[in-house]
């Protein structure tokens, strides 16, 4: 750990430090380059934290650039969602939001430059023919019969491609590199293709669109990017990234560095597959609280701080592997345990009657909002004759070591008095429907002589309770590697219990107007976050962010 920053070392930080120390750069510039074809997910959070985090740490800049070369799958909805998510994570980009399409004119000029230098040609093979000429991993490709077209002919054809004189697929512009290269990406890759599409930024200005591998390095160069960080999948594309910069005249020479993508167990982080979950109705939109999207996690109650902390814990390396979902949950609990206001909410209400407390009386009790943090202030709860406790906190025949309520046993109601169970009522089905107790007026906040209460349970006043709905989320997939077995569609592994709805919860009075900035800790139940999207005027709905038990912290300490 770097003691000053509290940040773990990683190979990219080391490269940046070296480059600054030896004067290669005075200032670093990174970028986050999402394609606006879906919502951002936890994997993107890692990339965001890395790119913006480095810029923050080394006093550089990070740009936000939409990689919008595939207008077919892109939309303004995705652009807006991505902007909101990056902001919510707490990062601010340098200058305006950029689009690769801002550079289409310049990219076009670079393409003409390549043609003029004899480094690119218009190829008129059909897609099937081109695939045949391409060769395989074990066999070299063959040169296209169009490879030796003259510069003049290439320029003429390319200009006419731009002018819309040809049908889609009739021609492409290809780099002239090496059809025998063991790296398939260098076998005269396509630089431009004809697409008659209206683009969300450039409208109908273009009917030819540049390919990602050509666009990316040259867009990086326009923004003065020093370190262009991408996932390992692009390692084999780096020679092409460098080729594009070496064979044109860009304003600077960014360096591509690859790192391992983040994989989480029990989770899918492929935009294409997340889109399927949305389109096929398995979830309630991209921001369904079960989704590993930033918007889903936000709605569920995850905090920017916890996601940033998680990304820091995961670290950055070249080898990859899969991270345990428990580690993410640990980061959330760690943050919420310190900052979440406490409240009481009963999930399975069981009527409790204090037979020695007057019917018309009520008391207001003052409880801390947070037991360890006085600065968070206090809250009021109401004590009345009729209460609700959780059905799970009463046992007719308690097992050994029972610390909750049972006939003849005493417990403290959190922040209130000690009560002793004197009786209970059953319905015809044999279920306990009411518990009778006597409260001890001498026990508010004190344990008098002969105190017998063993446990503390949560409760709410029946008169003052707020009706709430609770949505209990569990991991979305029941399989550790839902996408691992290609013979089985990943949707087969969806966890049928990923959402359990508790319609009739009872919460303490303050929750009629719940906080919207941070989840609550519902005592003994977990962390819950108010969901304005599905709440109604008379019934607030809370999403369970995470349960209270943290097994990951224990495992990681041992390990
Ligand atoms: P990629 O381009 O890597 O296939 P993608 O197409 O799913 O990712 P993009 O919108 O292109 O999504 O991603 C934007 C940035 O986020 C890219 O730099 C990409 O490398 C990075 N990124 C995407 N998924 C992950 C992941 N699981 N872990 C780390 N970084 C990721
Ligand atoms: Mg991509």
């Amino acid at each position: 750990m770097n003691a000053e920053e509290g940040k773990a070392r990683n190979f990219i930080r080391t490269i940046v430090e070296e480059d600054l120390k030896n004067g290669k750069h005075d200032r670093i510039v990174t970028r986050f380059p999402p394609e606006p074809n879906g919502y951002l997910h936890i994997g993107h959070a890692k990339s965001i934290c890395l790119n913006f985090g480095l810029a923050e740490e080394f006093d550089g800049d990070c740009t936000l650039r939409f990689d919008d070369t595939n207008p077919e799958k892109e939309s303004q909805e995705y652009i807006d969602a991505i902007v909101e998510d990056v902001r919510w994570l707490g990062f601010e980009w340098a200058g305006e939001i950029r689009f690769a399409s801002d550079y289409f004119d310049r990219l076009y000029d670079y393409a003409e430059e390549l043609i003029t230098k004899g480094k690119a040609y218009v190829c008129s093979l059909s897609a099937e023919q081109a695939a045949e000429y391409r060769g395989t991993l074990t066999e070299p490709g063959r040169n296209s019969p169009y490879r030796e077209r003259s510069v003049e002919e290439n320029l003429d054809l390319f200009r006419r491609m731009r002018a819309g004189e040809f049908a889609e697929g009739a021609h492409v512009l290809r780099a002239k590199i090496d059809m025998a290269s063991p790296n398939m990406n260098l076998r005269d890759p396509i630089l431009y293709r004809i697409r008659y599409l209206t683009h969300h930024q450039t409208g109908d200005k273009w009917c030819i669109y540049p390919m990602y591998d050509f666009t990316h390095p040259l867009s990086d160069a326009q923004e003065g990017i020093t370190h262009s960080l991408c996932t390992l999948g692009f390692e084999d594309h780096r020679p092409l990234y460098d080729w594009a910069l070496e064979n044109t005249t860009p304003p600077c020479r960014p360096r591509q560095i690859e790192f391992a993508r983040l994989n989480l167990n029990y989770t899918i982080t492929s935009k294409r597959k997340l889109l399927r979950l949305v389109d096929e109705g398995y979830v309630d939109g991209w921001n369904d609280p079960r989704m590993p999207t930033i918007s889903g996690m936000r709605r569920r109650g995850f905090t920017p701080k916890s996601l940033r902390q998680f990304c820091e814990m995961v670290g950055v390396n070249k080898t990859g592997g899969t991270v345990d979902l428990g580690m993410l949950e640990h980061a959330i609990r760690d943050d919420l345990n310190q900052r979440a206001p406490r409240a009481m909410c009963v999930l399975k209400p069981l009527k409790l009657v204090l037979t020695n407390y007057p019917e018309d009386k009520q008391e207001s009790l003052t409880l801390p909002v947070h037991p360890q943090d006085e600065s968070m202030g206090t809250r009021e709860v109401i004590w009345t004759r009729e209460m609700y406790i959780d059905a799970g906190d009463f046992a007719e025949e308690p097992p050994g070591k029972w610390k909750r309520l049972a006939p003849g046993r005493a417990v403290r109601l959190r922040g209130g008095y000690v009560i002793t169970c004197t009786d209970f009522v059953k319905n015809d089905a044999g279920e306990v429907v009411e518990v009778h107790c006597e409260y001890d007026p001498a026990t508010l906040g004190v344990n008098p002589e002969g105190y017998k209460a063993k446990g503390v349970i949560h409760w709410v006043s029946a008169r003052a309770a707020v009706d709430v709905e609770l949505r209990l989320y569990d991991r979305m997939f029941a399989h550790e590697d839902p996408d691992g077995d290609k013979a089985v569609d990943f949707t087969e592994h969806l966890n049928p219990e990923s959402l359990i709805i508790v319609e009739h919860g009872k919460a303490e009075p303050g929750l009629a107007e719940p906080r919207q900035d941070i989840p609550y800790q519902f005592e003994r139940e977990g962390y819950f976050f108010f969901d304005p999207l599905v709440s109604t005027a008379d019934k607030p709905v809370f999403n369970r962010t995470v349960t209270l038990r943290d097994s990951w912290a224990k495992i990681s300490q041992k390990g």
Side-chain angles (χ1 to χ4, degrees):
M1 285 287 238
N2 174 338
E4 270 170 88
E5 305 285 345
K7 305 230 178 197
R9 301 221 53 80
N10 68 54
F11 76 101
I12 297 180
R13 275 194 183 113
T14 305
I15 291 173
V16 167
E17 274 169 358
E18 288 292 308
D19 287 351
L20 288 170
K21 203 167 70 190
N22 66 28
K24 183 176 177 197
H25 304 292
D26 297 334
R27 184 177 175 79
I28 63 156
V29 186
T30 56
R31 87 286 171 264
F32 175 62
E35 193 178 339
N37 62 351
Y39 281 55
L40 298 180
H41 56 60
I42 183 75
H44 295 112
K46 171 172 171 174
S47 176
I48 293 170
C49 289
L50 176 61
N51 281 295
F52 285 94
L54 281 171
E56 247 171 32
E57 188 179 341
F58 292 98
D59 200 20
D61 283 325
C62 181
T63 62
L64 172 61
R65 182 203 320 140
F66 287 99
D67 157 26
D68 57 348
T69 52
N70 265 317
E72 209 172 355
K73 294 184 176 154
E74 299 164 4
S75 76
Q76 191 63 41
E77 176 198 346
Y78 295 140
I79 294 173
D80 295 343
I82 290 169
V83 168
E84 186 184 357
D85 288 349
V86 174
R87 276 226 173 91
W88 177 77
L89 275 175
F91 294 110
E92 199 47 58
W93 43 90
E96 302 279 296
I97 292 173
R98 333 279 170 116
F99 293 86
S101 56
D102 295 344
Y103 312 124
F104 279 177
D105 283 308
R106 237 164 295 175
L107 292 169
Y108 179 85
D109 291 342
Y110 287 128
E112 286 211 354
E113 181 184 350
L114 287 172
I115 294 171
T116 311
K117 289 176 172 169
K119 305 265 185 192
Y121 62 98
V122 173
C123 181
S124 312
L125 290 175
S126 69
E128 298 75 47
Q129 289 170 321
E132 232 177 86
Y133 274 82
R134 199 156 177 248
T136 63
L137 282 174
T138 49
E139 277 173 44
R142 286 176 294 139
N143 285 350
S144 159
Y146 304 100
R147 202 172 197 259
E148 298 310 325
R149 273 177 168 152
S150 68
V151 168
E152 292 68 34
E153 188 181 1
N154 282 321
L155 269 182
D156 175 59
L157 285 170
F158 189 51
R159 287 174 184 166
R160 288 166 60 197
M161 279 167 67
R162 178 187 186 171
E165 290 188 25
F166 305 114
E168 286 191 4
H171 307 286
V172 293
L173 183 73
R174 294 175 72 173
K176 194 188 275 190
I177 307 182
D178 179 8
M179 286 306 291
S181 173
N183 183 343
M184 301 287 280
N185 297 307
L186 296 181
R187 293 187 185 173
D188 292 9
I190 297 177
L191 303 179
Y192 268 89
R193 68 220 191 295
I194 302 171
R195 302 291 273 122
Y196 290 95
L197 286 172
T198 302
H199 188 287
H200 49 92
Q201 301 299 314
T202 56
D204 294 320
K205 176 172 178 189
W206 296 91
C207 63
I208 54 172
Y209 289 98
M211 302 298 285
Y212 174 87
D213 280 332
F214 176 64
T215 308
H216 205 76
L218 291 164
S219 300
D220 280 349
Q222 304 312 306
E223 293 169 10
I225 303 300
T226 54
H227 301 82
S228 180
L229 314 177
C230 62
T231 49
L232 278 178
F234 289 92
E235 199 166 19
D236 287 347
H237 297 242
R238 186 176 356 118
L240 184 50
Y241 183 98
D242 290 335
W243 181 92
L245 295 167
E246 275 158 21
N247 290 284
T248 55
T249 45
C252 69
R253 281 293 309 272
R255 171 176 174 192
Q256 173 177 312
I257 303 168
E258 308 86 17
F259 63 94
R261 60 182 286 121
L262 169 66
N263 296 309
L264 261 187
N265 62 7
Y266 298 99
T267 308
I268 292 274
T269 47
S270 145
K271 277 195 275 191
R272 196 169 49 80
K273 294 193 171 116
L274 295 176
L275 177 63
R276 269 192 60 197
L277 293 176
V278 175
D279 281 350
E280 294 172 26
Y282 290 107
V283 294
D284 170 24
W286 283 98
N287 65 350
D288 184 298
R290 287 166 293 185
M291 290 282 268
T293 51
I294 295 180
S295 52
M297 293 188 286
R298 171 165 69 236
R299 190 170 158 200
R300 182 151 162 181
F302 289 21
T303 58
K305 189 175 167 199
S306 61
L307 290 180
R308 290 170 70 152
Q309 176 60 27
F310 169 71
C311 291
E312 188 61 35
M313 283 163 76
V314 166
V316 177
N317 60 47
K318 278 258 185 202
T319 46
T322 300
V323 173
D324 196 311
L325 189 56
M327 192 170 165
L328 176 60
E329 294 175 347
H330 168 75
I332 310 304
R333 287 191 189 96
D334 200 38
D335 183 26
L336 293 183
N337 183 40
Q338 294 173 43
R339 298 194 295 135
R342 270 46 173 181
M344 291 194 283
C345 178
V346 173
L347 272 61
K348 261 189 286 164
L350 171 62
K351 175 74 72 72
L352 177 110
V353 182
L354 301 176
T355 50
N356 62 340
Y357 195 84
E359 190 127 18
D360 50 1
K361 189 175 171 185
Q362 75 173 43
E363 283 165 76
S364 185
L365 308 179
T366 303
L367 271 61
V369 171
H370 191 290
Q372 279 94 45
D373 186 351
E374 274 184 30
S375 72
M376 289 177 69
T378 59
R379 64 191 216 262
E380 302 294 311
V381 293
I382 307 295
W383 185 272
T384 51
R385 176 183 166 93
E386 296 199 348
M387 305 285 206
Y388 291 113
I389 60 166
D390 195 275
D393 282 337
F394 175 80
E396 191 182 340
E397 287 168 31
K401 294 190 179 166
W402 183 250
K403 288 198 174 151
R404 293 171 258 173
L405 208 53
R409 305 275 188 100
V411 293
R412 179 179 293 280
L413 295 191
R414 167 78 81 201
Y417 299 88
V418 172
I419 60 170
T420 303
C421 177
T422 52
D423 198 6
F424 58 91
V425 181
K426 281 183 169 181
N427 63 11
D428 292 344
E431 300 154 350
V432 177
V433 290
E434 207 171 284
V435 177
H436 293 175
C437 293
E438 286 183 357
Y439 90 112
D440 180 345
T443 55
L444 184 63
V446 289
N447 290 341
E449 227 33 73
Y451 169 78
K452 292 186 294 294
K454 284 225 172 65
V456 180
I457 65 175
H458 62 288
W459 56 280
V460 292
S461 153
R463 189 186 299 155
V466 179
D467 288 322
V468 296
E469 178 177 311
L470 305 151
R471 299 191 172 181
L472 311 183
Y473 297 101
D474 199 349
R475 41 195 57 169
M476 182 143 66
F477 292 95
H479 195 286
E480 216 177 315
D481 184 9
D483 205 19
D485 182 354
K486 298 296 171 201
V488 183
D489 191 65
F490 72 99
T491 55
E492 301 281 321
H493 295 304
L494 281 163
N495 175 7
E497 293 181 357
S498 63
L499 168 59
I500 292 171
I501 296 186
V502 175
E503 274 180 78
H504 304 291
K506 299 278 184 186
E508 67 176 62
L511 294 197
E513 282 175 42
R515 282 178 65 159
Q516 303 202 21
D517 57 335
I518 191 164
Y520 289 89
Q521 185 192 99
F522 287 167
E523 299 208 28
R524 301 176 65 230
E525 295 290 1
Y527 294 97
F528 286 81
F529 192 39
F530 175 64
D531 190 338
L533 293 181
V534 287
S535 293
T536 59
D538 28 66
K539 200 172 208 187
V541 177
F542 292 85
N543 296 319
R544 185 172 70 193
T545 311
V546 67
T547 55
L548 289 176
R549 216 186 59 232
D550 191 348
S551 45
W552 190 84
K554 282 183 209 123
I555 297 166
S556 65
Q557 271 162 23
K558 266 190 239 154

